[in-house]
Amino acid sequence: MEIFINGEKINIGIKNTKLLNVLEKLEANVIKKGEVIVELKLDGEMIDGQSLPINKKVKVLELTTRSHREILIESLYLLEPYTERFFENFSEIDNDETEDLSKLLEMVSFVEWTLGIVLSLKEATAIDLLYSDYNEYMEEFKKYAEEVFAAFKKEDFVGVIEILEGAMIPLIEDLSANSKDYLKEALREESKKKLLN
């Protein structure tokens, strides 16, 4: 079996070429480097985790990996258009939330996605060292995001709107206002890492 990671042929020194064993070894190597697998191809065919052909004989295995910071950088680039969409949905929601359930679901998904960004900024960068109030901001964002998720799970759609309007919107506006500075810092740290490697 030929193995490629990010287009580079590698030898992982494994004699047992059972697909699961190879993937376990590769995943351990990827995790050790602080990266995640974002794409898996077997014999040129894209595979997701659900349709892994365990017993298939594989000739070429290709992995694409990215660091947590690279994924964060991509998310920060996407933040502006997704934030605009969030506010469009919010302004279009009227008093009958059941009619607007798909918009509400999209908004809750956006809150979940932005929570991931807020937490990743703490994990993958030194933002909390540059901004002394970042940890407090992150905890507040997490608290209200969890309240949104709990209300949505209980189908308390009026409650979701109230939490979004009263607490989440100012936090999302703060994230949006600071996102360019956060992006610059993440890019700077990523370029430093590449210089060291």
Side-chain angles (χ1 to χ4, degrees), residues 24-36 68:
E24 282 174 5
K25 176 91 173 178
L26 286 171
E27 187 174 31
N29 286 348
V30 166
I31 289 170
K32 202 161 77 176
K33 289 181 180 175
E35 296 185 339
V36 290
H68 292 283

Side-chain angles (χ1 to χ4, degrees), residues 98-163:
T98 52
E99 247 180 58
D100 298 316
L101 193 56
S102 66
K103 284 182 183 147
L104 203 56
L105 176 59
E106 194 176 327
M107 290 163 60
V108 170
S109 297
F110 172 80
V111 168
E112 185 175 19
W113 180 73
T114 51
L115 175 61
I117 291 174
V118 168
L119 296 174
S120 292
L121 278 163
K122 162 87 173 162
E123 292 299 314
T125 71
I127 290 294
D128 57 324
L129 299 175
L130 295 172
Y131 299 90
S132 58
D133 61 345
Y134 189 80
N135 287 334
E136 186 183 322
Y137 169 79
M138 180 188 70
E139 289 303 325
E140 191 177 355
F141 199 105
K142 185 177 176 192
K143 174 184 180 280
Y144 288 116
E146 286 171 353
E147 286 181 19
V148 167
F149 307 148
F152 189 78
K153 194 173 181 182
K154 287 192 265 181
E155 297 184 10
D156 176 10
F157 303 131
V158 173
V160 171
I161 298 289
E162 286 173 357
I163 299 162

Side-chain angles (χ1 to χ4, degrees), residues 89-101:
N89 280 335
F90 193 82
S91 68
E92 290 170 8
I93 294 247
D94 51 30
N95 294 329
D96 186 7
E97 283 83 16
T98 52
E99 247 180 58
D100 298 316
L101 193 56

